[in-house]
Amino acid sequence: GQIFSFNQVVGPRTKERGYREAIIFLGGEEVLELGGGICQVSSTLYQAALLAGLEIIEVHPHSKPVNYIPPGKDATVYYGHKDLKFRNNTSDKLLLECLVADKEVWAAVYKILGQPVKVYLDGELLQGPLTPYLTKGTVYVPLRSLAEKMGFYVEWVGEKGQILLKKNDVQIGITIGSS
């Protein structure tokens, strides 16, 4: 199966690529460096890969405890030196999704179902096609992709558990959660 490399996908953490300075652990000390904090994303993705049963090829713990994830569940990355790598050891095509919003990090691994589907709105074909995926026994079409193809800006409002779709003077709120 295909091997996912966090550093290969994310690339170098440089100012030109939009990274800012934040705390990293270097030689047991806390120092400011571009891309500090990115381990919150790699650690969250690591947990998603573990929950999906994917084969972990490479993972490194931090040299000191971090406050955002329990010990042993973290995955430090440092471009060119420490990476998070895992293999798709399933017979399925997988979709990895990460979202950073409202100071929270979310990651998921989805099983892709068959061929992309065409999506119609009021009988009109939207730009597409979109690839449906399966998670916890339910089939989904990626909302963000669908909304963006319709020209909406997508915003996650974490404290309300809501996705806002915005376009010109139109705003649609979709609440996520149980009824």
Side-chain angles (χ1 to χ4, degrees), residues 60-133:
H60 305 273
H62 284 83
S63 60
K64 296 171 69 172
V66 293
N67 63 2
Y68 54 84
I69 200 159
K73 296 192 177 278
D74 59 322
T76 189
V77 289
Y78 193 80
Y79 192 80
H81 299 282
K82 294 182 178 182
D83 201 355
L84 168 64
K85 293 182 182 180
F86 49 86
R87 179 188 321 274
N88 178 0
N89 55 341
T90 74
S91 59
D92 302 310
K93 291 182 182 179
L94 301 177
L95 168 70
L96 304 178
E97 181 179 55
C98 286
L99 174 67
V100 178
D102 296 325
K103 298 181 182 178
E104 292 186 3
V105 181
W106 303 82
V109 178
Y110 302 110
K111 173 182 173 181
I112 294 178
L113 300 176
Q115 297 300 314
V117 295
K118 294 179 181 175
V119 178
Y120 294 84
L121 180 65
D122 293 333
E124 194 172 317
L125 177 65
L126 297 175
Q127 294 174 342
L130 301 173
T131 303
Y133 57 86

